[in-house]
Every structure is written in structure tokens, then in C-alpha cells.
Amino acid sequence: MNPYPQMLSPLDLGHVVLKNRVLMGSMHTGLEETGDWDRVAEFYAARARGGVGLMVTGGMAPNREGGVFPGAAGLFSDGDIANHRRVTERVHDAGGRIAMQILHAGRYAYGPECVSASAIKSPISPFAPRELDEDGIEKQISDIVTAAVRAREAGYDGVEVMGSEGYFLNQFLVRHVNRRTDRWGGSYENRMRLPVEVVRRVREAVGRDFIVIYRISLIDLVPEGSTWDEVVQLAKAIEGAGASILNTGIGWHEARVPTIATSVPRAAFTWLTARLRPEVGIPVIASNRINTPELAETILAGGQADMVSMARPFLADADFVAKAEAGRADEIAPCIACNQACLDHTFAGKISSCLVNPRAGHETELVVAPAANPKAIAVVGAGPAGLAAAITAAGRGHRVTLFERSAEIGGQLTLAREVPGKEEFRGLVRWFATMIERSGVELRLGQEAAPDALAEYDEVILATGVNARDPGIATDPGAKVLGYAEVLRGAPVGSRVAIVGAGGIGFDVAEYLTQAGESATLNPAEWMREWGVGDPAASPGGLSEPAPAAPARAVTLLQRKAEKLGRKLGKTTGWIHRAQLAARGVKMLGGVNYERIAPEGLHISFGVAREKPTLIEADTVVLCAGQTSNRTLAEALTAKGRSYHIIGGADVAGELDAKRAIDQGTRLALGL
Ligand code: NAP
Ligand code: SF4
């Protein structure tokens, strides 16, 4: 029986039939910029083999001024066509279809050459754009059309014209960036002239038998954004201009509302796609925070969209569709929407990969081949490092025994899943459990691995994790002090709390302790109220006044470093955590010395001179002061002269996170 009848049903676009309703949305991977087109081709071919109906490439610039950053990949010359053809041929050989996204960044282009409707700088870029004159606008249109024609020559099945997320075409649509008084500005008719003209001219140039997707912004989430009536007017005009499909864009990049982070409720914006669908005659695609086949099926079965776009889930698992089709959906590695190895990498100028699947973007380097010489391998510790090592090694044919002293697998992930807004970690732990079972790993829960018991194995992998660091603060009798693990496991905590340490875990604990009632991530209406997401039919851009819920406790978050708290949190998510805690009235103090913990609270002073003695009144002090490696077993094995591999927090505790742990465990197991 077909478990996902809607998701797996074909979509007839007239000249072509897509084999299912799943689109792999556009992602910038950084692969094209490496110049290694074999690697690019394999990235997409792997996903084509995995059964996705249609893929969209990362954004390709139509010209230098439109590139997201200097040197951004594009299709500038006929010479680029051969490289792109390698990608399309490999995808077609694998039975897939692929469209190239044409992305003109406008004022988001990170360089002094950037152009836009008016010379108004974006709040997220240091570069003010040059206002285009009539000839300049014509050049941009013509460059986009040329890119579409080259895409066709390169063998793509279509193009996606990027018209959302606050990029070039979107910039013309709204008054706060478009102050023009000529035929490209003023009335909405005039402001939408550019995107409509682009689609009309692209269609004219590529002919009827080529997919033209237009990505339309359904809710801008910026002041003076589009109204719903304008969105519908544009959608109809774009359909009239010849687009085959409307894909959904949510929020400009400069919006102060999260749109794809893990704390955003799943499918939080599909109500807008559902509202647009009856207004047009072409298929519409739902997007943002859709990450399971069940959810995709629900959206399609509910008539909210004709197709579902998922992007990051295809980094987490290239075989998403094939596994769903085969009734093995529980084996799909879940995208937890953390951004840690994908978007955060992009902003750091690194290749995008995936926390859950380190092979993403490294397909040609990290190849899973059967072990030439299957061995007996002991893995000690079932946190993310040990789990990744055990599953990968077993998948290659090794006989793996996994020792875990606690009663369940997951290690630090079992704490992360308790944090409101991090519910996706629950699915990750479940997936690890499924994969341990399916890969034939012998799991020994509740068992310490004694050094002598490890003698019988050919290889020993230590993933014994970390111990919470005791910061050694003088503590008076009667003071209530808890470690973060006790708190996240449900220990009673008073109503006034001081948190020692403001790393990722300090922030998580602050969110946990200020949460009153159900996590807003599980309650979309509440989440929208908290973040000020309104209805674009009622307020332009869909912004309303944020109404954060009252915090459950009064919390002070502290660190010794005299810098902004949370500076080292993820580039694309740190601002969300800071904004969330600020909205909950969490006080943030840096540059402190911890003098003493007493029953009345935490005594601190400031600076090297230990000035301004201050009492942070608190019923409970929670320690989130980082970790040290747990190497007890490693030391015992060293004393016996036994060799071992050591990975994860047991290897390096400082700034350890699941991304590094899983990557290290996977790479080690691929080399054994
Ligand atoms: P962390 O990020 O290293 O932060 C430890 C905190 O403790 C720092 O604020 C540090 O600040 C403080 N500290 C260190 N030594 C101390 C001492 N001796 N006395 C008092 N304070 C001390 O560690 P973590 O918060 O435990 O997180 C562990 C890992 O998990 C990190 O890599 C983190 O990135 C990751 N994680 C990530 C997320 C995420 O959302 N991406 C969430 C949770 C955890 P001062 O030295 O300035 O006082
Ligand atoms: Fe999803 Fe995180 Fe992987 Fe990015 S790194 S694809 S957000 S799981």
C-alpha cells in the first residue's frame, strides 16, 4: 500500500509530469564556488537517486552586481554552461529533474556594486545600493532572461525566479525600498512591473516546454511590506505572465521574526499557501519547517498546497522520498532545523553540510563502502559521537557492540530535547534508536564497559562524553545549587534564579526556566502572538505587536567575559535566543566575578578590581559552566597499554556540540 498517496502522486505540468509532489528547495551549499563540478553533480545526483520529484539549485547570479557575495556562482557566460551540464546530465541519468534558481540579490548583494529600486541601504548590509535608471533596469531584466536561456542550454528542466526573501524583485514591490516615481514605482501596478516583466520575458525566451517557477513572498514580515491583496494581485499577474508554478517565500532576510529555525512551529506558514491556492490556476508549493512525509501528506491531503518544498531535510537525508516510498519513513534522518552545519556554515564561508548527516556536501569524499576486513568493534558511550560511530561501522559490515551505562541512548541530546523550542531533538534520539536496531548494533544499556571486557574486541572506540564542570564557587550551607542536567531532568527550581555560565546550555536553561506552560513551538497561534506575526490581510507585511507570554521565573544569566552574552551562539539563530530571553525579561550580566553562593542568592563583583559587590537575589543557582572530558576509561586502558580511538566530548570537551561529535564519529567509522 502507498503510505503517502498524495505526496507520491504525480504532478502534471502539461509538457512534463513530475513523479511526485516533493520539491527540494533551493539551498546555497558553497559547492559551485569550489569549482569541483563533479562534487556538485554528485550532491544533486544523490538526491535524484533518492527519488525527489524536482530539485532547485542554489541561487545562481545572473550578473556580477546581482551575486549574493563577490565571486558567487552564476551562469554569466556560455563557458559556464558546460559545468552546469555536468550536473543536469548526472541528475537526468539518475532519473531526476532539476531547475536552476536565478537569484539577483539587489541590495542584499554583499559588495559596493549592488543595485536596487532606490538607494536605500538594507539594515543587514553595509553597502548602499545604486539606484537603477531605466537602462539599468533593462540590463537586469535582460541578464536574468539570458541566465534562463543558458540554463535551458545547460540542460536544466526549468528555472526558479527568486522573487521573495527581500531580494531584488521583492525590493521593487514595497514602498520602503522602492521610492521611485517612474513607471517602476509608485502605484502597486508600477511596483510589480519588474517581477511580472521578468517572468513574461523569461517565458517568451525559453518557450512553453520549460518549467518556470516564481518564488513569491507571501508574508514579508517587515514594516510596510506587501498587503495580502497585493500578494494575490501579483500571483495572478505572474500566472498571466507564464509561470508554471508558484513557490512560497516567507519573510525577508532582514525580518526580526524567525522563519526556519527549530523553534518555529512545523508548517507554521502553510495557512498562507492554502489561502493563495484558490486564487490561481497553477500549482502552489508550501514551504518552511516541513520535515516529515507525514506532515507533507497532511498538507497536501488538506488541500493546502499542490506540492511541498523541503530543503534542509534533503541535507539530512538524500533518500527522504525513497525511504518514505519503501515504508521506511522511520529511517529518514530528521532535519532538526538547527542551521548549525548548513546556514551557519554558509555565513562562515564554509561548505554546507548537516549536523545529522556529515556526508551532505561531502559525498565524493565520505564514501560508505563495505569494510574490507570486518572487525569486532566496541563503542563505549551512546551519545551522538558513539551512536554515529556505531551505526556507520555496523552499516559497513563490522560487528559492533555499544555500551551505555545509563538506561537510554542519546547522551546530551536527551537534555536538549527537554528545552522548549528544541522538540525536534526528540525525533533525532528516536531516529538513532531505530538505526541502532536496524543496523544490527548490539546495544548494552545500563552497562559500564570494564577495561578487561574490552580485551576481546579488535577496535575500541571511546565516546564516554563529558562531566559538567564544577566552577568551584565558595558556597554557604543552606544555599540551593543545581547542575543544568538536574534542572533539565525536572528538579524543583525556585522562582528567582541565577544561572552561572551563558554558553549554549546557559541560554537553553534560561529558556526552559522562563517557559510558562506549553512550548510555543507546539502551539502555532501562541508562537505567532509571541513573535508578532499577524495576517497580511490586516496589516502590511503581516506584522503585529509581539505579545510575549509572562515568564515563569525571574532569571539572571551571568558570565565572566566582559562581552555581549550569547556572542558565540549560532550566527543564524543566536539573535533568536537573545530576543526570546529579552522578551522574557531575563537580565544578562557580563564581566562578573562569582564571589559566593549563599541561601539569599549569588554574590558577585565586577571587573579585575572586584568592584561593585552585588547580590543577585535567587532561590536557586544553576551551574552551566561548561564541561570537562570524561576520560576515566581512557586512562585505565592507557595504563594497560591498550590502544583505543577517542571521540566526541571525551576527546575535546571545549565547545563540543553534536555537530562535531557526529562528524568525528562518522569519519572514524568510515576509516576502520
Ligand atoms: P560553553 O558554551 O563552553 O559555555 C560555558 C559557559 O560557562 C560560558 O559562558 C563560560 O563563560 C562559563 N564558564 C566556563 N568556565 C567557567 C568557570 N570555571 N567558572 C564559571 N563559569 C565558567 O558550554 P555549554 O554552555 O555547556 O555548552 C556546551 C556545548 O554545547 C557548546 O559547544 C555549545 O555550543 C553546545 N550547545 C549548543 C547549543 C546551540 O543552541 N547551538 C545549545 C546548547 C549547547 P565565562 O568563561 O565567560 O564565564
Ligand atoms: Fe537540518 Fe541542522 Fe542538518 Fe541544517 S544542519 S540540514 S538545520 S539538521
Side-chain angles (χ1 to χ4, degrees), residues 254-327:
E254 66 202 59
R256 295 286 86 192
V257 176
T259 55
I260 61 166
T262 190
S263 56
V264 176
R266 285 181 175 182
F269 298 97
T270 49
W271 57 282
L272 287 161
T273 323
R275 193 192 276 174
L276 181 67
R277 191 173 178 231
E279 303 280 359
V280 291
I282 51 176
V284 297
I285 306 179
S287 163
N288 285 51
R289 286 291 282 118
I290 302 168
N291 63 347
T292 67
E294 288 75 20
L295 186 54
E297 184 68 15
T298 306
I299 291 165
L300 295 166
Q304 293 188 295
D306 300 278
M307 206 170 174
V308 161
S309 168
M310 291 176 265
R312 297 170 296 171
F314 284 95
L315 293 177
D317 201 326
D319 295 323
F320 184 103
V321 175
K323 287 180 181 173
E325 215 158 9

Coordinates of all heavy atoms in Angstrom, one line a residue, residues 254-327:
E254 N 16.0 40.4 6.4 CA 16.2 41.3 7.5 C 15.0 41.3 8.5 O 15.1 42.1 9.5 CB 16.3 42.7 6.9 CG 15.0 43.3 6.2 CD 15.3 44.4 5.2 OE1 16.0 44.1 4.2 OE2 14.7 45.5 5.4
A255 N 14.0 40.4 8.3 CA 12.9 40.3 9.3 C 13.4 40.0 10.6 O 14.4 39.2 10.8 CB 11.9 39.3 8.8
R256 N 12.8 40.4 11.7 CA 13.1 40.1 13.0 C 12.2 39.0 13.6 O 12.0 39.0 14.8 CB 13.1 41.4 13.9 CG 14.1 42.4 13.6 CD 15.5 42.1 14.0 NE 16.2 41.3 13.0 CZ 17.4 40.6 13.2 NH1 18.0 40.6 14.3 NH2 17.9 39.9 12.2
V257 N 11.7 38.2 12.7 CA 10.9 37.1 13.1 C 11.6 35.8 12.6 O 11.9 35.8 11.4 CB 9.5 37.2 12.5 CG1 8.6 36.0 12.8 CG2 8.8 38.5 13.0
P258 N 11.8 34.8 13.4 CA 12.4 33.6 12.8 C 11.4 32.9 11.9 O 10.2 32.9 12.1 CB 12.6 32.7 14.1 CG 11.9 33.3 15.2 CD 11.5 34.7 14.8
T259 N 11.9 32.3 10.8 CA 11.1 31.7 9.8 C 11.4 30.3 9.5 O 10.6 29.5 9.0 CB 11.1 32.5 8.5 OG1 12.5 32.6 8.1 CG2 10.5 33.9 8.6
I260 N 12.7 29.9 9.9 CA 13.0 28.5 9.6 C 13.7 27.8 10.8 O 14.1 26.6 10.7 CB 13.9 28.3 8.3 CG1 15.3 29.1 8.5 CG2 13.2 28.7 7.1 CD1 16.3 28.7 7.5
A261 N 14.0 28.5 11.8 CA 14.7 28.0 13.0 C 13.9 26.9 13.6 O 12.7 26.7 13.4 CB 15.1 29.0 14.0
T262 N 14.6 26.1 14.5 CA 13.9 24.9 15.1 C 12.8 25.3 16.0 O 11.8 24.5 16.2 CB 15.0 24.0 15.8 OG1 14.4 22.8 16.2 CG2 15.6 24.7 17.0
S263 N 12.8 26.5 16.5 CA 11.8 26.9 17.5 C 10.5 27.4 16.7 O 9.5 27.6 17.3 CB 12.2 28.0 18.4 OG 12.7 29.1 17.6
V264 N 10.6 27.5 15.4 CA 9.4 27.9 14.6 C 8.5 26.6 14.5 O 9.0 25.5 14.2 CB 9.8 28.3 13.2 CG1 8.6 28.6 12.3 CG2 10.7 29.5 13.2
P265 N 7.2 26.7 14.8 CA 6.4 25.5 14.7 C 6.4 24.9 13.3 O 6.6 25.6 12.3 CB 5.0 26.1 15.0 CG 5.2 27.3 15.7 CD 6.5 27.9 15.2
R266 N 6.3 23.6 13.2 CA 6.3 22.9 11.9 C 5.1 23.5 11.1 O 4.0 23.7 11.6 CB 6.1 21.5 12.1 CG 7.3 20.7 12.6 CD 7.0 19.3 12.7 NE 8.2 18.5 13.1 CZ 8.2 17.2 13.2 NH1 7.1 16.5 13.0 NH2 9.3 16.5 13.6
A267 N 5.4 23.7 9.8 CA 4.4 24.1 8.8 C 3.7 25.4 9.3 O 2.5 25.6 9.0 CB 3.4 23.0 8.5
A268 N 4.4 26.3 10.0 CA 3.8 27.5 10.6 C 3.1 28.4 9.6 O 2.3 29.2 10.0 CB 4.9 28.2 11.4
F269 N 3.5 28.3 8.3 CA 3.1 29.3 7.4 C 2.2 28.8 6.2 O 1.9 29.5 5.3 CB 4.3 30.1 6.8 CG 5.0 30.9 7.8 CD1 6.2 30.3 8.4 CD2 4.6 32.1 8.3 CE1 6.9 31.0 9.3 CE2 5.3 32.8 9.2 CZ 6.5 32.2 9.8
T270 N 1.8 27.5 6.3 CA 1.1 26.9 5.2 C -0.3 27.4 5.1 O -0.9 27.3 4.1 CB 1.0 25.3 5.3 OG1 0.6 25.0 6.6 CG2 2.4 24.7 5.1
W271 N -0.8 28.1 6.2 CA -2.2 28.7 6.1 C -2.2 29.8 5.0 O -3.2 30.0 4.4 CB -2.6 29.3 7.4 CG -1.6 30.3 8.0 CD1 -0.5 30.0 8.7 CD2 -1.8 31.7 8.0 NE1 0.1 31.2 9.1 CE2 -0.7 32.3 8.7 CE3 -2.7 32.6 7.5 CZ2 -0.5 33.6 8.9 CZ3 -2.5 34.0 7.7 CH2 -1.4 34.5 8.4
L272 N -1.0 30.4 4.7 CA -1.0 31.4 3.7 C -1.0 30.7 2.3 O -1.6 31.2 1.4 CB 0.3 32.2 3.9 CG 0.2 33.2 5.0 CD1 1.6 33.7 5.4 CD2 -0.7 34.4 4.7
T273 N -0.3 29.6 2.1 CA -0.3 28.9 0.9 C -1.7 28.4 0.6 O -2.2 28.5 -0.6 CB 0.6 27.7 0.9 OG1 1.8 28.0 1.7 CG2 1.1 27.2 -0.5
A274 N -2.4 27.9 1.6 CA -3.7 27.5 1.5 C -4.7 28.6 1.0 O -5.6 28.4 0.2 CB -4.3 26.9 2.8
R275 N -4.4 29.8 1.5 CA -5.2 30.9 1.1 C -5.0 31.4 -0.3 O -5.8 31.9 -1.0 CB -5.0 32.1 2.1 CG -6.0 33.2 2.0 CD -5.5 34.4 2.7 NE -5.8 34.3 4.2 CZ -5.4 35.2 5.0 NH1 -4.7 36.3 4.6 NH2 -5.7 35.2 6.3
L276 N -3.7 31.2 -0.8 CA -3.4 31.7 -2.1 C -3.9 30.7 -3.2 O -4.3 31.1 -4.3 CB -1.9 31.8 -2.3 CG -1.4 32.3 -3.6 CD1 -1.8 33.7 -3.9 CD2 0.2 32.2 -3.7
R277 N -3.9 29.4 -2.8 CA -4.1 28.3 -3.8 C -5.4 28.6 -4.6 O -5.3 28.5 -5.9 CB -4.2 27.0 -3.1 CG -4.2 25.8 -4.0 CD -4.0 24.5 -3.3 NE -4.1 23.4 -4.3 CZ -4.9 22.4 -4.1 NH1 -5.7 22.3 -3.1 NH2 -4.8 21.4 -5.1
P278 N -6.6 28.9 -4.0 CA -7.8 29.0 -4.9 C -7.7 30.3 -5.7 O -8.6 30.4 -6.6 CB -8.9 29.1 -3.8 CG -8.3 29.4 -2.5 CD -6.9 29.0 -2.6
E279 N -6.8 31.2 -5.5 CA -6.7 32.4 -6.3 C -6.1 32.3 -7.7 O -6.2 33.1 -8.5 CB -6.0 33.5 -5.5 CG -6.5 33.8 -4.1 CD -7.7 34.7 -4.2 OE1 -8.1 35.2 -5.2 OE2 -8.2 35.0 -3.1
V280 N -5.4 31.2 -7.8 CA -4.6 31.0 -9.1 C -4.9 29.6 -9.7 O -5.4 28.7 -9.0 CB -3.1 31.1 -8.9 CG1 -2.7 32.5 -8.6 CG2 -2.6 30.2 -7.8
G281 N -4.6 29.4 -11.0 CA -4.9 28.2 -11.6 C -3.6 27.3 -11.7 O -3.7 26.2 -12.2
I282 N -2.5 27.8 -11.3 CA -1.2 27.0 -11.4 C -0.9 26.4 -10.0 O -1.4 26.9 -9.0 CB 0.0 27.8 -11.9 CG1 0.1 29.1 -11.1 CG2 -0.2 28.1 -13.4 CD1 1.3 30.0 -11.5
P283 N -0.1 25.3 -10.0 CA 0.2 24.7 -8.7 C 0.9 25.7 -7.8 O 1.7 26.5 -8.2 CB 1.1 23.5 -9.1 CG 0.9 23.3 -10.5 CD 0.5 24.6 -11.1
V284 N 0.6 25.6 -6.5 CA 1.4 26.4 -5.5 C 2.1 25.4 -4.5 O 1.6 24.3 -4.3 CB 0.5 27.3 -4.7 CG1 -0.2 28.4 -5.6 CG2 -0.6 26.6 -3.9
I285 N 3.2 25.8 -4.1 CA 4.1 25.0 -3.2 C 4.1 25.6 -1.8 O 4.4 26.7 -1.6 CB 5.5 24.9 -3.8 CG1 5.4 24.5 -5.3 CG2 6.4 24.0 -3.0 CD1 6.8 24.4 -6.0
A286 N 3.9 24.7 -0.8 CA 4.1 25.1 0.6 C 5.5 24.9 1.0 O 6.2 24.0 0.5 CB 3.2 24.3 1.5
S287 N 6.0 25.8 1.9 CA 7.4 25.7 2.3 C 7.5 26.1 3.8 O 6.6 26.6 4.4 CB 8.1 26.7 1.4 OG 9.4 27.0 1.9
N288 N 8.7 25.9 4.3 CA 9.2 26.3 5.6 C 8.7 25.4 6.8 O 7.5 25.2 7.0 CB 8.7 27.8 6.0 CG 9.5 28.8 5.3 OD1 9.7 28.7 4.1 ND2 10.1 29.8 6.0
R289 N 9.7 24.8 7.4 CA 9.6 23.9 8.6 C 8.6 22.8 8.3 O 7.7 22.4 9.1 CB 9.1 24.7 9.8 CG 10.2 25.6 10.4 CD 11.3 24.8 11.1 NE 10.9 24.3 12.4 CZ 10.8 23.0 12.7 NH1 11.1 22.0 11.8 NH2 10.4 22.6 13.9
I290 N 8.8 22.2 7.1 CA 8.1 20.9 6.8 C 9.3 19.9 6.7 O 10.2 20.1 6.0 CB 7.4 21.0 5.4 CG1 6.4 22.2 5.5 CG2 6.7 19.7 5.1 CD1 5.8 22.5 4.1
N291 N 9.2 18.9 7.5 CA 10.4 18.0 7.6 C 10.0 16.5 7.7 O 11.0 15.7 7.9 CB 11.3 18.4 8.7 CG 10.7 18.3 10.1 OD1 9.5 18.1 10.2 ND2 11.6 18.4 11.1
T292 N 8.8 16.1 7.5 CA 8.5 14.7 7.6 C 7.5 14.3 6.5 O 6.7 15.2 6.1 CB 7.8 14.2 8.9 OG1 6.5 14.8 9.0 CG2 8.6 14.6 10.1
P293 N 7.5 13.1 6.0 CA 6.5 12.7 5.0 C 5.1 12.8 5.5 O 4.1 13.1 4.8 CB 6.9 11.3 4.6 CG 7.9 10.9 5.5 CD 8.4 12.0 6.2
E294 N 4.9 12.6 6.8 CA 3.5 12.6 7.4 C 3.0 14.0 7.3 O 1.8 14.3 6.9 CB 3.5 12.3 8.9 CG 3.8 10.8 9.2 CD 5.2 10.3 9.0 OE1 6.1 11.2 9.0 OE2 5.4 9.1 8.8
L295 N 3.8 15.0 7.6 CA 3.4 16.4 7.5 C 3.1 16.8 6.1 O 2.1 17.5 5.8 CB 4.5 17.3 8.2 CG 4.2 18.8 8.3 CD1 2.9 19.0 9.1 CD2 5.4 19.4 9.1
A296 N 4.0 16.4 5.2 CA 3.8 16.7 3.7 C 2.5 16.2 3.3 O 1.7 16.8 2.6 CB 5.0 16.1 2.9
E297 N 2.2 14.9 3.7 CA 0.9 14.3 3.3 C -0.3 15.1 3.8 O -1.2 15.3 3.1 CB 1.0 12.8 3.8 CG -0.2 12.0 3.4 CD -0.3 11.7 1.8 OE1 0.7 11.9 1.1 OE2 -1.3 11.3 1.4
T298 N -0.2 15.5 5.1 CA -1.3 16.2 5.7 C -1.5 17.5 5.0 O -2.7 17.9 4.7 CB -0.9 16.5 7.2 OG1 -0.6 15.3 7.8 CG2 -2.1 17.1 7.9
I299 N -0.5 18.2 4.6 CA -0.6 19.5 3.9 C -1.3 19.3 2.6 O -2.2 20.0 2.2 CB 0.7 20.2 3.8 CG1 1.3 20.6 5.1 CG2 0.7 21.3 2.8 CD1 2.8 20.9 5.1
L300 N -0.8 18.3 1.8 CA -1.4 18.0 0.5 C -2.8 17.5 0.6 O -3.7 17.9 -0.1 CB -0.5 17.0 -0.2 CG 0.9 17.6 -0.5 CD1 1.9 16.5 -1.0 CD2 0.9 18.7 -1.6
A301 N -3.0 16.5 1.5 CA -4.4 15.9 1.7 C -5.4 17.0 2.1 O -6.6 16.9 1.8 CB -4.3 14.8 2.6
G302 N -4.9 18.0 2.9 CA -5.8 19.0 3.4 C -6.0 20.1 2.3 O -6.7 21.1 2.6
G303 N -5.5 19.9 1.1 CA -5.7 20.9 0.1 C -5.0 22.2 0.3 O -5.3 23.2 -0.3
Q304 N -4.0 22.2 1.2 CA -3.3 23.5 1.4 C -2.3 23.9 0.3 O -1.9 25.0 0.2 CB -2.6 23.4 2.8 CG -3.5 23.3 4.0 CD -2.7 23.4 5.3 OE1 -1.9 22.6 5.6 NE2 -3.0 24.5 6.0
A305 N -1.9 22.9 -0.4 CA -0.9 23.1 -1.5 C -0.9 22.0 -2.5 O -1.5 20.9 -2.2 CB 0.5 23.2 -0.9
D306 N -0.3 22.2 -3.7 CA -0.2 21.2 -4.7 C 1.1 20.4 -4.6 O 1.2 19.3 -5.1 CB -0.3 21.8 -6.1 CG -1.5 22.6 -6.3 OD1 -2.6 21.9 -6.6 OD2 -1.5 23.8 -6.1
M307 N 2.0 21.0 -3.9 CA 3.4 20.4 -3.8 C 4.0 20.9 -2.5 O 3.6 22.0 -2.0 CB 4.2 20.9 -5.0 CG 5.3 20.0 -5.4 SD 6.0 20.5 -7.0 CE 7.3 19.3 -7.1
V308 N 5.0 20.2 -2.0 CA 5.6 20.6 -0.8 C 7.1 20.8 -1.0 O 7.7 19.9 -1.6 CB 5.3 19.5 0.3 CG1 6.3 19.6 1.5 CG2 3.9 19.7 0.8
S309 N 7.6 21.9 -0.5 CA 9.1 22.1 -0.6 C 9.8 21.8 0.7 O 9.3 22.3 1.7 CB 9.3 23.6 -1.0 OG 10.7 23.9 -0.9
M310 N 10.8 21.1 0.6 CA 11.7 20.9 1.8 C 13.1 21.1 1.2 O 13.4 20.6 0.2 CB 11.5 19.4 2.3 CG 10.2 19.2 2.9 SD 9.9 17.5 3.5 CE 9.1 16.8 2.1
A311 N 13.9 21.7 2.0 CA 15.3 22.0 1.6 C 16.2 21.2 2.5 O 16.8 20.2 2.1 CB 15.6 23.5 1.5
R312 N 16.4 21.8 3.7 CA 17.4 21.1 4.6 C 17.1 19.7 4.9 O 18.1 18.9 5.1 CB 17.4 21.9 5.9 CG 17.8 23.4 5.8 CD 17.6 24.2 7.0 NE 16.2 24.3 7.3 CZ 15.7 24.8 8.5 NH1 16.6 25.3 9.4 NH2 14.4 24.9 8.7
P313 N 15.8 19.2 4.9 CA 15.6 17.7 5.1 C 16.4 16.9 4.0 O 16.7 15.7 4.3 CB 14.1 17.6 4.9 CG 13.6 18.9 5.5 CD 14.5 19.9 5.0
F314 N 16.7 17.5 2.9 CA 17.5 16.7 1.9 C 19.0 16.8 2.1 O 19.7 16.1 1.5 CB 17.1 17.2 0.5 CG 15.8 16.7 0.0 CD1 14.6 17.4 0.2 CD2 15.7 15.4 -0.4 CE1 13.4 16.9 -0.1 CE2 14.4 14.8 -0.8 CZ 13.3 15.6 -0.6
L315 N 19.4 17.7 3.0 CA 20.8 17.6 3.5 C 20.8 16.4 4.5 O 21.8 15.6 4.5 CB 21.2 18.9 4.2 CG 21.4 20.1 3.3 CD1 21.8 21.3 4.1 CD2 22.4 19.9 2.2
A316 N 19.8 16.4 5.4 CA 19.8 15.4 6.5 C 19.7 14.0 5.9 O 20.3 13.0 6.4 CB 18.7 15.7 7.4
D317 N 18.9 13.9 4.8 CA 18.8 12.5 4.2 C 18.4 12.7 2.7 O 17.3 13.1 2.3 CB 17.6 11.8 4.9 CG 17.8 10.2 4.7 OD1 18.2 9.9 3.6 OD2 17.5 9.5 5.6
A318 N 19.4 12.3 1.9 CA 19.2 12.3 0.4 C 18.1 11.4 0.0 O 17.5 11.6 -1.1 CB 20.5 12.0 -0.3
D319 N 17.8 10.3 0.8 CA 16.9 9.3 0.4 C 15.5 9.5 1.0 O 14.8 8.5 1.2 CB 17.4 7.9 0.8 CG 18.7 7.6 0.0 OD1 18.7 8.0 -1.2 OD2 19.6 7.0 0.5
F320 N 15.2 10.7 1.4 CA 13.9 11.0 2.0 C 12.7 10.4 1.3 O 11.9 9.7 2.0 CB 13.8 12.6 2.1 CG 12.6 13.1 2.8 CD1 12.7 13.6 4.1 CD2 11.3 13.1 2.2 CE1 11.6 14.1 4.8 CE2 10.2 13.5 2.9 CZ 10.4 14.1 4.2
V321 N 12.6 10.6 0.0 CA 11.4 10.2 -0.7 C 11.5 8.6 -0.9 O 10.5 7.9 -0.6 CB 11.3 10.9 -2.1 CG1 10.1 10.3 -2.9 CG2 11.1 12.4 -1.9
A322 N 12.6 8.1 -1.2 CA 12.8 6.7 -1.5 C 12.4 5.9 -0.2 O 11.7 4.9 -0.2 CB 14.2 6.3 -1.9
K323 N 12.9 6.4 1.0 CA 12.6 5.7 2.2 C 11.1 5.8 2.5 O 10.5 4.8 3.0 CB 13.4 6.3 3.4 CG 14.9 5.9 3.3 CD 15.7 6.5 4.5 CE 17.1 6.1 4.4 NZ 17.9 6.8 5.4
A324 N 10.5 6.9 2.3 CA 9.0 7.1 2.5 C 8.3 6.1 1.6 O 7.3 5.4 2.1 CB 8.6 8.5 2.2
E325 N 8.7 6.0 0.4 CA 8.0 5.2 -0.6 C 8.1 3.7 -0.2 O 7.2 2.9 -0.4 CB 8.7 5.4 -2.0 CG 7.8 5.3 -3.1 CD 8.4 6.0 -4.3 OE1 9.6 6.4 -4.3 OE2 7.7 6.1 -5.3
A326 N 9.3 3.4 0.4 CA 9.5 1.9 0.7 C 8.9 1.6 2.1 O 9.2 0.5 2.6 CB 11.0 1.7 0.7
G327 N 8.2 2.5 2.7 CA 7.6 2.2 4.0 C 8.6 2.3 5.1 O 8.4 1.7 6.2

